[in-house]
Amino acid sequence: MTNTISEHGLIDFNPTAIAVPDMYRISQDFVSTLPGLHLQTNAHRTLHALLHATCRALSDWKEDHIQPEQGFLQPCKALRKIIGTEAANCNRSLRDGVIQLKKTEIFDILNFAHDFHWLNWRFTDTTLQQILDERRYGLFDASILPALGSPLDFTICSSVALVRRMRRPQFSIQVEKLAAMLETPDKRWCKVRKSFIKSLMTVGAHQNLIFFVLLKCEGYSRGIDTVDVRIKRPGSLWTIDRLVKVTPTTRNYLVVDASGVSEMNLDNLNKDIARIMQTKPK
């Protein structure tokens, strides 16, 4: 199948080598509601397992799709395998996730069945319509779920998935929001840096990505308050000329991949980025 570019800069056919059984789709609109649910790690795991299972069970991903009234039913063992807790041979993480998710208003049905061997769920019709919104969405890869170990990991993974198909993928996030996800009252960049970079490394290792990270002072708070992330994936159209472009508010520039983080010299950015582009895989 030929890749085509839409008017929004999105590639209409998936170029990310996600195996079809692992692929599921979530809209930007639904992802944007998740911070307000204040989910902990096991709730994120359980939710993504159910999102994946729902997408694989549907005959199509049109937003007007009608769910079965009785919802969906799947063995807990199969769901544990998706999120990487199969070896534990118990449903502790699923139970914890279900308890948290039942406090939200996104499910009509969410119950264990058959002596806790199966899980029965049904998203509300409004929620499913929001999940399958076709205006802006990301293709997600369930095979990464076992590697995600914090709410921040899930947030970064989602941010990447929503833009990854673009010709020049990028996203931006405020340091204050990173601090909220890490539940730290100290909103300084130095307090969230380690966790943020670790999350980028986790996602980058799984998806063969390089992150070019601009640390900026935009005036939202004192010091570095905004992080812009440019993503180089196989086939993306980022060039050295575009990657070296920075604004006057840029204070630092990092490059992050599976191997670690490197700090660039803003006064020598062209040479530093050129060196990175030559030594990293295409």
Side-chain angles (χ1 to χ4, degrees):
M1 185 178 293
T2 303
N3 291 352
T4 58
I5 306 295
S6 75
E7 63 182 354
H8 304 295
L10 297 179
I11 298 176
D12 295 326
F13 180 65
N14 168 41
T16 54
I18 301 174
V20 171
D22 292 328
M23 188 187 299
Y24 60 113
R25 197 181 87 186
I26 311 177
S27 74
Q28 183 181 47
D29 190 26
F30 181 72
V31 169
S32 69
T33 68
L34 296 182
L37 300 181
H38 305 291
L39 302 178
Q40 298 301 310
T41 302
N42 282 333
H44 279 286
R45 287 174 174 149
T46 303
L47 176 60
H48 277 265
L50 299 181
L51 288 165
H52 170 264
T54 300
C55 282
R56 300 320 311 169
L58 296 175
S59 58
D60 62 63
W61 293 346
K62 296 185 183 300
E63 57 189 85
D64 59 354
H65 196 97
I66 305 299
Q67 301 176 87
E69 285 299 319
Q70 71 276 19
F72 302 97
L73 192 66
Q74 187 141 339
C76 292
K77 183 176 181 179
L79 295 172
R80 294 201 311 269
K81 184 176 181 180
I82 292 171
I83 61 177
T85 61
E86 185 181 21
N89 200 31
C90 73
N91 292 327
R92 186 179 297 111
S93 59
L94 285 178
R95 285 201 302 268
D96 184 33
V98 166
I99 289 170
Q100 294 180 55
L101 291 172
K102 285 173 77 74
K103 296 176 183 178
T104 71
E105 298 180 351
I106 63 176
F107 291 95
D108 282 334
I109 302 170
L110 184 58
N111 296 302
F112 287 98
H114 309 313
D115 297 322
F116 287 88
H117 286 285
W118 293 70
L119 189 62
N120 178 210
W121 77 95
R122 187 184 193 278
F123 288 102
T124 68
D125 290 333
T126 300
T127 299
L128 184 64
Q129 184 177 20
Q130 185 182 39
I131 291 167
L132 299 177
D133 187 340
E134 298 179 80
R135 289 171 295 178
R136 185 73 177 271
Y137 61 85
L139 294 176
F140 286 65
D141 184 353
S143 68
I144 196 177
L145 296 180
L148 305 180
S150 70
L152 182 56
D153 284 353
F154 281 93
T155 297
I156 298 303
C157 182
S158 297
S159 299
V160 171
L162 288 170
V163 302
R164 186 176 52 192
R165 296 177 304 126
M166 291 181 175
R167 291 173 289 183
R168 288 182 290 275
Q170 57 185 316
F171 69 90
S172 182
I173 190 166
Q174 291 184 9
V175 172
E176 184 176 13
K177 292 182 178 179
L178 295 175
M181 279 180 271
L182 293 169
E183 298 183 335
T184 173
D186 194 330
K187 298 178 174 58
R188 290 179 296 166
W189 163 249
C190 63
K191 295 300 182 180
V192 303
R193 182 185 189 276
K194 182 177 179 180
S195 296
F196 180 71
I197 289 173
K198 181 177 178 292
S199 293
L200 288 181
M201 290 175 63
T202 297
V203 176
H206 189 272
Q207 300 177 351
N208 191 25
L209 305 174
I210 306 173
F211 301 101
F212 297 83
V213 183
L214 285 70
L215 307 179
K216 305 169 75 173
C217 298
E218 298 283 8
Y220 298 112
S221 61
R222 183 177 179 180
I224 293 169
D225 53 30
T226 304
V227 183
D228 288 351
V229 182
R230 298 167 178 173
I231 307 167
K232 190 174 191 314
R233 60 159 174 81
S236 67
L237 300 184
W238 280 111
T239 62
I240 294 174
D241 288 344
R242 287 186 177 274
L243 288 172
V244 300
K245 287 185 177 180
V246 298
T247 65
T249 59
T250 303
R251 295 293 178 265
N252 297 92
Y253 195 122
L254 310 176
V255 177
V256 181
D257 66 3
S259 65
V261 56
S262 302
E263 186 162 350
M264 302 293 102
N265 184 342
L266 288 176
D267 295 327
N268 198 34
L269 201 52
N270 281 70
K271 289 184 178 180
D272 282 354
I273 297 298
R275 174 177 51 81
I276 292 288
M277 295 286 276
Q278 289 172 359
T279 57
K280 300 295 182 182
K282 301 293 184 183

